[in-house]
Amino acid sequence: MAGSGKSKGTPGKAKRWLVRGLKISVAAGVAGLLAVGIAVVIAMQSLPDYNSLKSSPNGQMIRVHAADGSVIVSLGPSFGRWMDYDQIPKVMVDAMISTEDRRFYLHPGVDPIGMARAAWVAVENRGKGRRWQGASTITQQVTRNIFLNNSYSWGRKVREMVLAMALERKFSKRQILELYLNKVYFGGGAYGIDAASRKFFGHSATTLDLPEAAIIAGLVKAPSSYSPTADAEAAIGRAGVVLDLMRDNGVISASERAAVDMQGVKLAPEPPQNSVRYFTDWALPQLDVLIDEPNEPLEVYTTIDLNMQKAATAAIQANVPAGTQGALVSLDRDGAVRAMVGGLDYVTSNYNRATTATRQPGSAWKIFVYMAALEAGYTPDTGITDEPVDINGWKPRNSSGRFSGDIDIRTAFAYSINTVAAKLGVEVGFPTVADMARRFGITTPINTHPSMVLGTSDVRLIDMTRAFASIARKGIAVTPYGITKVTTADGRLLYEHQDDTSRVLVAPWVAAGMTDLMQTAVSTGTGKAAQIGRPVAGKTGTTTSNKDGWFLGFSSGVTTGVWMGRDDARAVGGLQGGRAPARAFADYMKVAVAKRPVEPFETEVTLPEWQLEPDAEAYYGSPDNGVDDGMMVDENGLPIERARPAQPDPRDDQDMEVDPQDRLSSQRIDQQWIDNVLGRDRQRQPPPRPAPGP
């Protein structure tokens, strides 16, 4: 009996323990669910509203376009234009759900079936170092992208699930999908389907078709591995998997799947990333002044011409002497920057020698000396004597080592005669030359020592090119610009460039006279290597011991400046402005103006009436030469205190132009010979003005 009672009691005790265990489990489950519910409610209360989630900080995308509209560079995290759910193509929604979360419409933010499957896979791969994969829903990915990070821990996973369920309670499925499709990362810096569509296909996401949507949906799993720009074959292969999933989930039919031609998808070409970056580095900082839009993605349309940029890069690389650097700036007639090369290779050195470096221009500076002289009454035909000059102990010498005697201004400029430039500087005054340079856009400090007429003040290539472009525009100021307009991603205009022709720097006849001189310099003088088979006006420049070589000039509405030299300013054997820089200019300009009509220069100068007076006394006087003690008065007739002339700096070079091509030809250059070389019919010109007296 006792044994029988004991056996009966054992099952009863086990049953009680089982019931107790079940009760504890149920209680624990209820408590857990209650805790989860409370956590979800608390999380719901802490969630921001939907508009705040949409406008959460993303970083600004900037897409830069060339003159032909093609994208040359994309900067910043690319978020594209925000797309409302109704604007998103259905094929894109179906592709994403089929790939990332096929039970999206059925679960409350967390997918128990997906979690169970992921757990089973984890058990099968235990000891192999693999994490749980495939358990995250679209909602969980949204919470991770907005509120959390990608660090892996159980604590982060629990918070992710709580926030996902809170998100599902507070927002609709459509809103969650809208957030996801506008914020998920697709690789290549692109966040959201619009940015991805623009980057990989070159158009807005509103027009995505089935194969394009499949490619984008396939990127989420591994953006770097399946990026179309990195591995197009892998991207297309992954898109095939997405299409199969869409067919299996019933969102496309088998016939639709079979009809997809993945090979017909046109991918947007990758923008150039080398020399054009010199231009974008210069142009884009100007956005801070032009617009006030810190958040929306921007479309920036620029002036850069990719064919001209390619030709500019090739011209510099082909002609620069070994061991040196080169730079080039090319402006259209209104100042639009068509090409900019800041160095031999942007990847090696992103220092922009076209816009940042300051170097001595040598004889290229003489344009300011001669323009000041033309404005003061000289003409290209004015006679002047090439003879020894002594200015307070400074004695400039010519590269030829001799003096040519009586010549005219045109000849002196064509052969870059230093003594004549010095005499003109004395005649018009060195401050007047400095003022002329300031007028034409030189922004760097300018010294007024006598040797400044030979180019001893440091300048920037872009400023010198600007000055030459203003001469080409008949004396109207030219301001280099690189941005034509800026819009938001949806086309809202934020800025558009307007050409300003109101600033006249010199009278048209002064600009025409200067063009006459520079055309002669290319046709017969130091710049002969810059000839391109059509009218060219320009000037060479070579500095002390051949440290810098310059050529700047214009033809058919395009003005181009070229500089070559070493970054450490050491001498370069054989570097003269009339050699490598002039050849680079010619190589580039042959391409730059190939499709433009030939434009002869209007160099038949018509002088104002005051310069045509027959009275000889009109040609005499004592201009401000910075040497004598003559009194000057201001606009009110009050005397101006004049500073004594600065003593010459012994460090100033006395022979800034050392190109052998500068040496004056033994053939006498008279007016008839000049006209024949330039191919023009000589019309009546005013009588030559005698050289002003001392």
Side-chain angles (χ1 to χ4, degrees):
M1 293 290 294
S4 176
K6 186 177 181 179
S7 63
K8 288 181 180 180
T10 299
K13 187 176 181 180
K15 183 177 181 180
R16 285 194 302 273
W17 278 106
L18 178 60
V19 171
R20 183 179 299 174
L22 288 173
K23 288 180 179 180
I24 293 173
S25 299
V26 170
V30 171
L33 289 174
L34 183 61
V36 170
I38 294 172
V40 169
V41 171
I42 294 174
M44 283 180 59
Q45 300 300 319
S46 65
L47 287 176
D49 59 40
Y50 190 70
N51 287 331
S52 297
L53 292 179
K54 287 175 60 176
S55 61
S56 59
N58 293 329
Q60 190 175 37
M61 176 198 74
I62 300 176
R63 292 206 318 162
V64 185
H65 300 258
D68 62 1
S70 60
V71 176
I72 55 177
V73 67
S74 294
L75 302 174
S78 173
F79 280 83
R81 184 174 65 86
W82 187 272
M83 300 190 65
D84 295 332
Y85 182 84
D86 292 333
Q87 297 175 307
I88 301 172
K90 186 176 183 299
V91 290
M92 187 70 252
V93 176
D94 291 341
M96 196 63 73
I97 291 176
S98 298
T99 306
E100 292 297 312
D101 189 1
R102 62 179 180 174
R103 284 179 290 275
F104 173 74
Y105 292 109
L106 303 176
H107 61 66
V110 176
D111 183 6
I113 298 175
M115 292 179 66
R117 184 182 67 250
W120 177 257
V121 172
V123 170
E124 287 185 330
N125 292 280
R126 64 184 180 277
K128 298 180 181 180
R130 295 183 59 182
R131 300 173 179 175
W132 276 29
Q133 294 180 341
S136 293
T137 64
I138 284 177
T139 313
Q140 286 175 267
Q141 293 182 51
V142 170
T143 60
R144 185 164 61 247
N145 290 338
I146 297 177
F147 303 111
L148 304 173
N149 55 49
N150 289 321
S151 64
Y152 187 86
S153 68
W154 285 106
R156 196 271 293 162
K157 196 68 177 177
V158 170
R159 291 196 302 275
E160 177 187 297
M161 290 189 289
V162 170
L163 284 170
M165 289 186 284
L167 209 66
E168 290 268 357
R169 295 287 297 173
K170 188 166 185 175
F171 303 114
S172 68
K173 292 283 188 180
R174 286 165 59 102
Q175 289 176 313
I176 292 170
L177 273 174
E178 183 179 312
L179 283 172
Y180 180 71
L181 291 170
N182 281 285
K183 287 182 174 290
V184 69
Y185 182 60
F186 292 102
Y191 291 80
I193 58 172
D194 189 60
S197 179
R198 293 176 187 275
K199 177 174 180 60
F200 300 127
F201 308 120
H203 60 74
S204 168
T206 56
T207 58
L208 284 170
D209 57 22
L210 178 57
E212 291 173 339
I215 289 176
I216 290 179
L219 295 175
V220 178
K221 181 178 180 181
S224 59
S225 299
Y226 297 124
S227 171
T229 55
D231 190 340
E233 186 175 343
I236 291 174
R238 173 64 179 166
V241 175
V242 174
L243 291 169
D244 292 339
L245 291 172
M246 294 177 71
R247 179 198 58 204
D248 296 343
N249 291 337
V251 294
I252 62 172
S253 65
S255 59
E256 288 175 318
R257 168 65 183 94
V260 174
D261 177 19
M262 294 304 303
Q263 301 302 321
V265 177
K266 294 183 179 180
L267 299 174
E270 273 290 273
Q273 293 291 321
N274 198 336
S275 69
V276 76
R277 291 297 302 274
Y278 288 115
F279 169 77
T280 57
D281 286 354
W282 169 77
L284 292 181
Q286 300 168 28
L287 290 173
D288 293 337
V289 177
L290 301 179
I291 63 171
D292 182 18
E293 177 50 71
N295 297 316
E296 285 201 52
L298 302 178
E299 302 287 344
V300 180
Y301 296 87
T302 71
T303 58
I304 203 76
D305 184 301
L306 294 182
N307 289 330
M308 295 170 73
Q309 178 69 22
K310 181 179 179 181
T313 303
I316 292 296
Q317 292 178 343
N319 289 283
V320 69
T324 65
Q325 279 286 351
L328 180 151
V329 175
S330 186
L331 307 179
D332 216 324
R333 64 180 81 244
D334 66 341
V337 177
R338 297 303 183 193
M340 178 180 287
V341 179
L344 290 179
D345 182 70
Y346 181 87
V347 176
T348 303
S349 171
N350 61 12
Y351 179 61
N352 195 335
R353 297 156 187 85
T355 62
T356 305
T358 58
R359 304 294 288 256
Q360 291 183 352
S363 288
W365 178 267
K366 290 177 183 175
I367 64 165
F368 304 121
V369 180
Y370 280 80
M371 273 196 293
L374 292 171
E375 191 172 60
Y378 284 82
T379 74
D381 301 315
T382 298
I384 197 165
T385 303
D386 174 19
E387 60 187 351
V389 174
D390 186 337
I391 306 174
N392 295 335
W394 179 61
K395 301 177 181 180
R397 61 181 182 271
N398 295 324
S399 61
S400 64
R402 59 184 176 83
F403 304 101
S404 303
D406 292 337
I407 55 175
D408 59 22
I409 292 294
R410 182 182 288 108
T411 303
F413 185 86
Y415 288 91
S416 201
I417 296 176
N418 291 334
T419 57
V420 171
K423 293 178 74 172
L424 293 176
V426 172
E427 291 290 342
V428 302
F430 303 115
T432 302
V433 176
D435 174 70
M436 183 65 71
R438 282 276 181 258
R439 261 193 265 172
F440 275 77
I442 300 302
T443 58
T444 45
I446 302 173
N447 73 65
T448 53
H449 298 149
S451 61
M452 64 92 74
V453 298
L454 304 185
T456 59
S457 297
D458 289 344
V459 295
R460 296 183 179 89
L461 175 60
I462 193 169
D463 289 346
M464 287 295 290
T465 309
R466 171 187 186 180
F468 277 73
S470 298
I471 297 170
R473 210 179 189 187
K474 302 177 184 179
I476 297 175
V478 170
T479 301
Y481 72 96
I483 298 175
T484 57
K485 70 174 181 178
V486 183
T487 70
T488 58
D490 57 1
R492 179 166 59 89
L493 183 65
L494 300 177
Y495 165 81
E496 189 165 22
H497 175 79
Q498 300 294 328
D499 188 20
D500 179 12
T501 59
S502 63
R503 293 179 57 235
V504 179
L505 306 178
V506 292
W509 55 269
V510 174
M514 195 67 239
T515 301
D516 184 320
L517 299 182
M518 290 195 292
Q519 184 181 14
T520 307
V522 175
S523 298
T524 69
T526 62
K528 286 187 285 188
Q531 295 174 4
I532 60 173
R534 63 171 69 196
V536 175
K539 184 69 183 79
T540 58
T542 309
T543 60
T544 310
S545 303
N546 298 26
K547 293 178 180 178
D548 303 271
W550 300 70
F551 187 88
L552 303 102
F554 50 85
S555 178
S556 301
V558 177
T559 302
T560 299
V562 176
W563 166 87
M564 293 180 185
R566 289 176 59 99
D567 287 336
D568 59 8
R570 292 173 59 186
V572 181
L575 177 62
Q576 288 102 26
R579 294 184 177 182
R583 289 194 296 267
F585 173 91
D587 288 350
Y588 164 73
M589 288 292 283
K590 288 174 184 177
V591 177
V593 302
K595 297 181 180 179
R596 297 183 178 222
V598 176
E599 297 181 15
F601 295 123
E602 299 177 10
T603 55
E604 292 296 329
V605 183
T606 301
L607 297 178
E609 290 184 2
W610 68 268
Q611 286 197 327
L612 301 179
E613 292 184 28
D615 186 355
E617 291 183 2
Y619 297 113
Y620 293 94
S622 179
D624 172 23
N625 55 23
V627 174
D628 66 13
D629 295 322
M631 184 180 71
M632 295 185 64
V633 296
D634 62 17
E635 65 273 15
N636 299 314
L638 299 175
I640 299 174
E641 190 72 24
R642 300 185 59 181
R644 300 298 299 174
Q647 292 300 314
D649 188 337
R651 295 172 298 176
D652 289 340
D653 182 68
Q654 297 189 28
D655 185 13
M656 302 304 295
E657 187 74 34
V658 293
D659 192 337
Q661 296 186 50
D662 285 357
R663 296 174 182 170
L664 188 61
S665 171
S666 59
Q667 180 180 1
R668 185 65 181 173
I669 303 178
D670 57 19
Q671 187 58 57
Q672 182 178 358
W673 187 86
I674 291 288
D675 292 339
N676 290 337
V677 170
L678 298 182
R680 64 187 181 191
D681 295 328
R682 190 70 179 173
Q683 298 177 354
R684 178 183 178 274
Q685 288 287 323
R689 171 181 179 273

